[in-house]
Amino acid sequence: MSGVLHLVGTGPGDPDLLTLKAARIISRADILAYPVGSETSLARAIAAPHIRPGTEEMPIVIPMRRERGPAQAVYDGAAEAIAAELGMGLSVAYLCEGDPLFYGSAMYLLDRLGDRYPVKIVPGVTSLTAAAAAIARPLAARNDVLKVLPAPLPDAMLAAELAPAGSVAIIKLGSHFDRVRDLLVALGLAEGAMVVIHASTGHEKVLPLLAMPAGERPYFAIILVYKGGEGWTGGHG
Amino acid sequence: MSGVLHLVGTGPGDPDLLTLKAARIISRADILAYPVGSETSLARAIAAPHIRPGTEEMPIVIPMRRERGPAQAVYDGAAEAIAAELGMGLSVAYLCEGDPLFYGSAMYLLDRLGDRYPVKIVPGVTSLTAAAAAIARPLAARNDVLKVLPAPLPDAMLAAELAPAGSVAIIKLGSHFDRVRDLLVALGLAEGAMVVIHASTGHEKVLPLLAMPAGERPYFAIILVYKGGEGWTGGHG
């Protein structure tokens, strides 16, 4: 009997936004795996209060590079290490910020292990709805179209998607921040757009896009653009 | 000192997908308010294990009609009833399925009370990521565009949004189910599209769109369409 791999969303950052299910799985897992960026793992920090003392941990150090090769090689190795544990009948919980299937790294393990071992997925609160909560404005309402646009996409593609009415969230900003801001200004969409940084955490910061200091390039930021439509009519937030 | 209105997302249906924060706020609230559709309230059912015996409850019966007037009149009345409690310094938790600001009814209270009373928002797991979890396929990956399209939108608008590559979730199906299926067939997108009904609940059902029995018109359904792009490459799910 092989063990189960749980892909566990730990939510946007506030440890209180962990689900009851995630907390229970974390507290019972034989092995906890999680990606580590530069130094720390946000997902591990969120899970910390629920980790049984003595639980085996498997930090997966992801090289932060533009090319995909190095990171994919790390996931190859991690998948084999996890497979070895599952093969011995041990359960593994792989922790990821937000939701495992919403732009998450969990898909790299699902891709490598999903056909060979039982995999269960625990959805989590995304930074998307946490950002909407931070500005107290509906993310989308009634028959609004809602779009999530990754900032690395080319300007022409972003502009085309931004043209119709609706609600838009732009993610993965980082070094693309200035370019995206310039694009929104050029399209007449910067006014009213909001930036939410580190939504739901102690470092949460909310400000209008046009008030964002030049040169700041926050990675954990989302720009929310609301283009009317038939949704929100309130003046609040 | 007026009380605080908490707009609380209770997640997609599985009571275990409630957040720790939502559970705590529910257990401490002076008054619990929640929308009631035909007979029962899913949000209330999810919250049930955490409700203190004797907690005052305020079910808000929403007329299920196509016109907006009757429902909006009910929210007017509900907002005044909630305002009266807040004015006496009592705390009110308004429960909503999924996330309060993701196509939720909470915006109607935010709109009416947000400028007059302190409002706090507790984001929740949406049916969107719960549906992706049910089919064990990424909702969106890497630089995919992700779109949420409400089914009541006209065919031409849906078709325009479905044209580019990316990942699409179609919500609010109900009586629009057959029309949307026909549209997806006409656009060559029905193959590979999945239907998830009552994601995360005991009634969860997952099936390919083309295997969906004619005449079934589930309201709590989502159609997930994946149009390639540079995201998911796995064969799993």
Side-chain angles (χ1 to χ4, degrees), chain A residues 13-19 46 50, chain B residues 18-24 122:
Chain A
D14 178 350
D16 255 11
L17 291 177
L18 198 69
T19 63
I46 295 169
H50 309 280
Chain B
L18 198 69
T19 64
L20 303 173
K21 190 169 194 170
R24 198 185 59 238
V122 183

Side-chain angles (χ1 to χ4, degrees), chain A residues 44-209:
Chain A
R44 203 259 175 219
I46 295 169
H50 309 280
I51 300 176
R52 273 195 340 275
T55 302
E56 192 184 324
E57 300 194 25
M58 189 190 289
I60 301 172
V61 180
I62 310 300
M64 288 291 149
R65 308 232 201 110
R66 221 172 257 269
E67 324 88 79
R68 285 192 186 141
Q72 292 307 310
V74 167
Y75 287 115
D76 284 341
E80 287 321 304
I82 290 171
E85 307 283 2
L86 298 172
M88 287 189 289
L90 297 171
S91 69
V92 179
Y94 178 77
L95 311 178
C96 25
E97 296 156 36
D99 181 278
L101 298 179
F102 180 82
Y103 299 98
S105 59
M107 69 163 178
Y108 302 123
L109 296 177
L110 181 60
D111 193 11
R112 287 163 173 83
L113 299 168
D115 289 333
R116 295 157 59 195
Y117 296 96
V119 176
K120 290 186 179 172
I121 294 154
V122 182
V125 175
T126 65
S127 53
L128 194 64
T129 63
I135 64 170
R137 203 164 70 179
L139 187 62
R142 295 183 175 129
N143 290 333
D144 282 336
V145 170
L146 169 65
K147 295 181 186 177
V148 181
L149 306 180
L153 291 173
D155 276 12
M157 203 185 287
L158 292 175
E161 294 292 356
L162 283 160
S167 185
V168 177
I170 305 174
I171 62 171
K172 301 193 178 195
L173 287 157
S175 63
H176 301 279
F177 196 93
D178 293 345
R179 182 175 63 83
V180 168
R181 179 177 45 196
D182 292 349
L183 180 67
L184 290 171
V185 169
L187 295 171
L189 295 173
E191 193 94 24
M194 297 294 292
V195 183
V196 182
I197 304 169
H198 290 291
S200 91
T201 71
H203 309 289
E204 180 179 287
K205 208 168 140 185
V206 171
L207 69 178
L209 176 61

Side-chain angles (χ1 to χ4, degrees), chain B residues 24-64:
Chain B
R24 198 185 59 238
I25 287 169
I26 290 162
S27 71
R28 293 186 186 170
D30 294 314
I31 292 114
L32 289 178
Y34 44 83
V36 180
S38 49
E39 277 190 12
T40 56
S41 164
L42 177 55
R44 203 261 174 218
I46 294 168
H50 309 281
I51 300 176
R52 273 193 341 274
T55 302
E56 191 184 324
E57 300 194 23
M58 189 191 289
I60 301 171
V61 181
I62 311 298
M64 289 291 148

